[in-house]
Amino acid sequence: MATPTPAPSLPAMGDPFHLSLLRIPRGRFRVSLPPGGEFLLGTPEPLSRPGAAGQSFCIPITEMVGVQLGGSGSPPTVEGNQFTVFFVQREKRQRWSLGSLEFTVAPGSGLAPRWVDALQRSIQLHGVTRPRKLLVFVNPVGGRCRAGEIYRDRVAGLFALAGIQTEVIETQRPHEARELILQQDLGDLDGLVCVGGDGTFNELMHALISRTQRKAGIPEDNPAATLLPPRLRIGIIPAGSTDCICFATVGTNDPVTSALHIIIGFKAVLCNRSYEGTVEFLTAGGTEANPRDQTRCRAGCLVCSESSHQLLGGSEEEKLPQQESTGAAVSEWQREQGRFLAINLTCMSSACPKSPDGLSPSAHLADGTADLILVRECSALGFLRHLSRHMDHRDQFDLPFVSVHRVRALRFTPKQLEGSEERERPGCRGWKGLLRGLCWGEQPLSSWSCDGETLPHADISVRVHGQLIHLFARGIEQKMGLV
């Protein structure tokens, strides 16, 4: 049995190269690798230049594919004053591409290899779930008979850049992949990859399931038997005629996107940790306040119109204390404790092309409420089921670990802060947003995202202010037929 490799450690922050003045194509930047090594940060020099803040960059280490000495268009070198970082770039329609950023250090400084070494160790530290060795099956006759060309020209180089060792088998006859999976020693592998269509994937999947049951002594043909999940994962590089399975799981039939998902994508699921705390929320009250009533907020919405009439009788500031004091007939504070994978609050459906119905399909834009969605701790597969339902028309709330409430206010307190004051570490005072969070290094707390902006505190208090803003928009009109 192989001896476990100890987790790599990061160099001490006293090393001056962790805050270096480097040049990129946009100019000179102060580049840093903060404690914990989770991000590569860059801010333009000088910081006082007008508009400079908008040019800053932040590359998460978990999104890095690899790093090498030399430029992006040249082979890796062992000397020189350049190094290149390769990372995932998100394009339209679920496609991913390989982005790169070249850095130039001062001649004779020797900083380039030291930066490469530090970034590679950070990738190892934060990418412990990335595959190290893969067995690749290429079906040369599947789909358009281009599987071999697709793998060689578009995928093999990405695996090499990420430091993934591969064994490639180009199958010559039907069921060859199945026979090899059932017979070959797969103990040192992290996963299997099929380059082909849906048929190739099905062959690998069934072979891997059969192998797992045979090793466990489980009769797979017994309909009452409980089958064990395989240890190995399967990656799909689309090269077939339809590639339905790949499109359903990745969102596009692009080989580069699929390869990048294999390299880093699994890390995002495993890192979606649960956090313990207390959620308190003021319910909207009333029989009409049901976030699962299948209504839709459209032009002339009766729910929002009724809320407009109520607001004319007094300001929202005046009404909230009254609602809190009148008891359960109107609204009441509720409290839930536990571990949560996600806590979402939305005052509209939040529909988009990727999620046609949105986070909460029945949310109303102008009724003075928001829909609170609580996702309690569950398995990774269960959480993926919840997420996948946002892309079709199934009820994403119809799961035992998901609940939804229509609320007027919300408070959240992490367990680490319950009964105590949040204390800042020396040197963090005055830091805001992302930089303040990075100063803490590895945190036991999560952070809140407000439309993409990271909030600096884990404990929050939120209130809904009804119809505070008016828009030049009349709402989504209902479809009407001719009379």
Side-chain angles (χ1 to χ4, degrees):
M1 182 176 295
T3 303
T5 302
S9 59
L10 293 175
M13 277 304 294
D15 198 330
F17 85 90
H18 279 92
L19 181 57
S20 301
L21 192 60
L22 306 178
R23 181 172 293 278
I24 66 173
R26 298 203 305 266
R28 296 208 310 172
F29 276 63
R30 290 185 179 273
V31 182
S32 63
L33 186 64
E38 296 174 314
F39 301 90
L40 181 65
L41 302 176
T43 53
E45 172 72 17
L47 289 175
S48 58
R49 190 171 74 239
Q55 302 175 13
S56 301
F57 64 82
C58 174
I59 304 175
I61 295 296
T62 55
E63 300 273 289
M64 282 190 188
V65 176
V67 57
Q68 70 177 32
L69 284 169
S72 59
S74 58
T77 63
V78 294
E79 297 179 353
N81 59 345
Q82 280 189 321
F83 67 94
T84 305
V85 172
F86 298 89
F87 54 91
V88 170
Q89 281 190 154
R90 286 166 174 77
E91 312 288 351
K92 296 180 179 179
R93 299 181 180 178
Q94 309 296 330
R95 292 171 73 98
W96 290 7
S97 64
L98 184 68
S100 63
L101 188 58
E102 295 182 10
F103 296 85
T104 302
V105 306
S109 65
L111 288 178
R114 296 171 66 194
W115 266 107
V116 170
D117 180 67
L119 290 173
Q120 287 177 338
R121 282 190 279 174
S122 291
I123 291 173
Q124 293 175 31
L125 180 66
H126 296 286
V128 292
T129 61
R130 295 189 183 188
R132 298 290 185 261
K133 186 175 181 180
L134 298 172
L135 180 60
V136 181
F137 290 94
V138 179
N139 180 4
V141 297
R144 304 177 183 87
C145 299
R146 296 182 56 238
E149 176 186 347
I150 289 174
Y151 179 77
R152 288 189 299 271
D153 295 347
R154 307 187 64 185
V155 177
L158 293 175
F159 286 166
L161 179 64
I164 298 175
Q165 182 182 352
T166 58
E167 179 184 350
V168 182
I169 298 177
E170 191 166 303
T171 57
Q172 303 297 322
R173 53 185 172 80
H175 310 302
E176 181 180 357
R178 174 181 174 82
E179 294 171 3
L180 289 171
I181 292 172
L182 291 175
Q183 299 170 6
Q184 192 165 328
D185 181 11
L186 308 180
D188 62 340
L189 295 177
D190 296 306
L192 307 178
V193 175
C194 64
V195 187
D198 294 336
T200 308
F201 168 77
N202 283 320
E203 182 177 346
L204 264 66
M205 177 188 69
H206 287 290
L208 191 57
I209 292 174
S210 295
R211 175 190 175 92
T212 303
Q213 311 320 309
R214 292 183 186 184
K215 293 191 67 174
I218 299 175
E220 60 180 305
D221 295 330
N222 182 356
T226 301
L227 303 184
L228 291 178
R231 174 186 65 85
L232 298 179
R233 292 170 273 157
I234 300 179
I236 310 172
I237 303 297
S241 54
T242 55
D243 301 309
C244 293
I245 298 173
C246 181
F247 190 88
T249 55
V250 178
T252 183
N253 292 340
D254 174 54
V256 171
T257 302
S258 294
L260 293 173
H261 272 270
I262 293 170
I263 294 171
I264 73 163
F266 195 67
K267 177 69 174 176
V269 176
L270 290 185
C271 281
N272 195 30
R273 297 167 51 192
S274 62
Y275 294 88
E276 189 169 2
T278 301
V279 181
E280 299 171 280
F281 50 93
L282 180 66
T283 59
T287 57
E288 74 282 359
N290 182 1
R292 300 182 66 181
D293 60 8
Q294 302 299 312
T295 63
R296 295 292 186 270
C297 189
R298 298 291 186 262
C301 174
L302 295 178
V303 175
C304 295
S305 298
E306 180 65 24
S307 298
S308 299
H309 294 309
Q310 293 175 0
L311 288 173
L312 291 176
S315 69
E316 188 72 8
E317 294 286 342
E318 296 170 345
K319 288 181 173 292
L320 188 61
Q322 296 175 2
Q323 293 164 350
E324 294 187 34
S325 61
T326 53
V330 178
S331 58
E332 62 179 359
W333 280 97
Q334 295 187 18
R335 176 188 179 99
E336 291 196 20
Q337 291 180 297
R339 298 191 66 88
F340 301 93
L341 271 175
I343 300 176
N344 297 319
L345 188 70
T346 178
C347 57
M348 58 184 178
S349 68
S350 297
C352 66
K354 299 176 183 178
S355 178
D357 291 332
L359 285 176
S360 188
S362 298
H364 288 272
L365 184 63
D367 67 343
T369 69
D371 284 359
L372 172 65
I373 306 162
L374 301 176
V375 183
R376 289 184 171 270
E377 188 175 51
C378 63
S379 66
L381 181 59
F383 188 57
L384 285 175
R385 287 176 58 201
H386 169 64
L387 294 179
S388 66
R389 292 187 178 190
H390 288 78
M391 296 186 290
D392 52 37
H393 297 285
R394 292 178 296 169
D395 186 356
Q396 61 260 47
F397 308 133
D398 189 22
L399 294 166
F401 50 87
V402 179
S403 61
V404 60
H405 311 270
R406 186 147 290 166
V407 304
R408 298 185 186 278
L410 164 72
R411 294 193 294 255
F412 177 76
T413 306
K415 183 178 180 181
Q416 287 82 352
L417 301 183
E418 290 177 354
S420 64
E421 294 292 330
E422 182 179 8
R423 292 171 295 180
E424 292 192 74
R425 295 185 182 179
C428 292
R429 294 184 177 87
W431 287 28
K432 297 183 180 295
L434 177 63
L435 292 179
R436 181 184 180 278
L438 290 172
C439 178
W440 285 75
E442 295 289 343
Q443 300 182 65
L445 302 177
S446 182
S447 59
W448 292 93
S449 173
C450 183
D451 282 341
E453 296 293 328
T454 302
L455 303 183
H457 303 288
D459 56 325
I460 63 167
S461 179
V462 180
R463 271 192 47 208
V464 180
H465 296 266
Q467 302 188 18
L468 197 62
I469 296 294
H470 295 262
L471 304 178
F472 286 111
R474 58 190 299 175
I476 302 175
E477 296 184 339
Q478 301 276 11
K479 292 182 179 179
M480 302 179 64
L482 296 176
V483 178

